Amino acid sequence: MPSGRVLIVGAGVAGSIAAFWLAKHDYEVVVIERSKAEQKAGQGIEIEEPATQVVKMMGIFDKLNSIRTGELGAQIEDEQARVYAQLDTGGISPTGQLELMRGGLTEVLYKAADEASNVTYYFETTIQWLQQIQDKVIVELRNRKGGSVRTEEFDMVIGADGAKSKTREFIMGTPEEIKCYHDVGAYVAYFSIKKQEHDWPRSRLCQFPDRRVIWMRPTTKNSDTTSVYLIHLKDKIPALDQANATGDRQKQKEAFAEIYSGLGWETPRIIEQITKADNFYSDKLQQVKLPTWSQNRIVLLGDAAWAPTPFTGEGNQLAIIGAWVLAQEMSRNRGPVAFHNYEKRFRKYVENAQDIPLRGYAPYIACPQTWLGIWTFRTSFMLLGYAIKFFSWANLSRFWPAGATKEELNHAAFDLEAESVSEKARN
């Protein structure tokens, strides 16, 4: 007999991992996703410990290894494309050991979960309304393509539908009512442009005055596109705020093109191609903070509950670990008790992960205001790069005891309680 019928809203990283493990725990799982199944847009992301343990237990680690971007590190360049510093994979480099494109990761996770006979995916489907009655949740679902509407009954609902979660709005109120958004003072845009030979094999970063940064990252060696990340630290940009509020993608593109026009380096190429990008995404970076992650038989997961922003580097890790913890607690209890235990176990870890490095100043150091600040940043990393190469060449590390790895420095310890998962759930 199934443990219960669960609706998961959102087929992203958190949603599909939760579906995978809940299926192992004998739940009947329905996953809905507003986008199309074949949509694979998204930025580069990294998987580190302890999240790596979760994907290993899912049996998909080798598959993920096979679709790594292959990025060999990062380099900092000036506006004439001269290299100031080159950082290899790992260590202080922004390039991790398991670097993936988000679209590739979500596809692997979706296929892994969809293999279970008790998991069903519905794409281009959204919630119209929901109502909790006693021990059930009544949900009206709408197919965006055909417009058909149907009503279904579930024992529990998991909202894994991102920072702008409609599930959260249904049960808690609008963001304005619950004041869940906390600005971090930055605007970002992600999109792809046509690849050129020098875009491979390292990512390249260039800074400009007024806290503007361009970061270009290779996707895979054989890909014909390169990912572009535009980052601008600013409290308010009226043109972008208006475009973001209405979702006017063309206005968003025009606003970023104006911000970066005439700056040199790769900006003419980027501005020329930004209008052609069909996977363009832009937003103002905001963290999500809530007093509670659930209401009765509905619970929030991932960015819907705690969006940390890319400045923390923790979004993907929290989605993976959070989905594991929630599914584990739902294997032990049904309904509100499981949700309470999930939050009790994981909230402190999330709150620590939401802290932006260097007490919030890390983005301002990486995105200087003036040319002097940019020169200081570049020169510091150039000297650091030389020091790392010298230490490696001279093998000086043999004189020091083994220290913490990058993953240990970046991520606090978290007990997955993996040993308590039954053999049935693992297999």
Side-chain angles (χ1 to χ4, degrees), residues 245-266:
T246 60
D248 189 328
R249 187 168 294 183
Q250 185 58 36
K251 292 292 185 183
Q252 291 173 332
K253 291 179 178 181
E254 291 172 0
F256 270 102
E258 183 178 345
I259 290 167
Y260 284 87
S261 63
L263 294 182
W265 195 60
E266 297 275 7

Side-chain angles (χ1 to χ4, degrees), residues 9 24 50 58 114 117 144 172 198 216 223 239 248 272 282 298 358 361 391 419 424:
V9 186
K24 296 288 186 183
M58 293 174 70
D114 197 44
S117 60
R144 299 177 69 201
M172 296 181 181
H198 62 275
M216 302 179 67
S223 173
D248 189 328
E272 178 192 0
S282 168
I298 302 174
L358 302 179
Y361 285 101
F391 269 67
E419 70 283 352
K424 178 182 177 181

Side-chain angles (χ1 to χ4, degrees), residues 128-144:
Q128 291 298 98
W129 61 262
L130 56 79
Q131 181 182 10
Q132 300 191 67
I133 52 170
Q134 295 181 345
D135 60 349
K136 298 290 180 182
V137 184
I138 309 299
V139 182
E140 184 177 271
L141 303 175
R142 179 179 180 272
N143 179 272
R144 299 177 69 201

Side-chain angles (χ1 to χ4, degrees), residues 98-334:
L98 186 55
E99 203 77 43
L100 307 159
M101 297 306 295
R102 188 180 188 279
L105 172 60
T106 55
E107 182 181 22
V108 170
L109 295 173
Y110 151 61
K111 289 181 176 178
D114 197 44
E115 286 181 356
S117 60
N118 50 335
V119 174
T120 305
Y121 277 79
Y122 294 104
F123 291 91
E124 297 185 82
T125 302
T126 59
I127 291 183
Q128 291 298 98
W129 61 262
L130 56 79
Q131 181 182 10
Q132 300 191 67
I133 52 170
Q134 295 181 345
D135 60 349
K136 298 290 180 182
V137 184
I138 309 299
V139 182
E140 184 177 271
L141 303 175
R142 179 179 180 272
N143 179 272
R144 299 177 69 201
K145 187 175 182 180
S148 60
V149 176
R150 67 184 188 275
T151 301
E152 297 197 28
E153 187 177 281
F154 297 92
D155 296 291
M156 287 160 280
V157 173
I158 299 172
D161 46 345
K164 297 182 179 180
S165 169
K166 293 300 292 184
T167 310
R168 183 184 64 223
E169 189 169 326
F170 279 131
I171 64 173
M172 296 181 181
T174 66
E176 294 75 22
E177 290 171 337
I178 62 176
K179 296 180 173 58
C180 64
Y181 290 150
H182 298 261
D183 289 349
V184 298
Y187 295 80
V188 295
Y190 313 116
F191 55 98
S192 298
I193 64 174
K194 189 175 180 180
K195 178 183 176 183
Q196 293 185 359
E197 186 176 351
H198 62 275
D199 293 334
W200 175 265
R202 296 177 182 273
S203 66
R204 299 180 297 134
L205 182 144
C206 188
Q207 302 143 312
F208 302 94
D210 195 26
R211 305 196 186 283
R212 292 169 289 183
V213 169
I214 301 175
W215 189 16
M216 302 179 67
R217 305 191 70 180
T219 51
T220 61
K221 184 176 182 179
N222 298 321
S223 173
D224 59 358
T225 62
T226 294
S227 293
V228 176
Y229 304 74
L230 304 180
I231 307 166
H232 185 29
L233 268 61
K234 200 87 169 179
D235 288 334
K236 279 194 174 297
I237 304 177
L240 264 178
D241 287 334
Q242 184 176 357
N244 290 341
T246 60
D248 189 328
R249 187 168 294 183
Q250 185 58 36
K251 292 292 185 183
Q252 291 173 332
K253 291 179 178 181
E254 291 172 0
F256 270 102
E258 183 178 345
I259 290 167
Y260 284 87
S261 63
L263 294 182
W265 195 60
E266 297 275 7
T267 55
R269 171 188 170 198
I270 290 169
I271 291 172
E272 178 192 0
Q273 296 193 48
I274 192 173
T275 57
K276 306 172 186 176
D278 57 6
N279 63 346
F280 180 90
Y281 173 80
S282 168
D283 209 349
K284 188 175 186 179
L285 291 186
Q286 297 173 313
Q287 291 189 332
V288 171
K289 296 184 178 182
L290 299 169
T292 182
W293 296 343
S294 64
Q295 185 190 85
N296 299 328
R297 306 191 74 79
I298 302 174
V299 65
L300 301 175
L301 174 66
D303 283 353
W306 59 66
T309 78
F311 285 163
T312 67
E314 297 290 339
N316 196 49
Q317 318 305 321
L318 294 178
I320 294 171
I321 301 167
W324 160 269
V325 173
L326 176 58
Q328 192 177 54
E329 293 302 332
M330 289 175 66
S331 75
R332 297 166 175 166
N333 297 281
R334 290 183 56 176

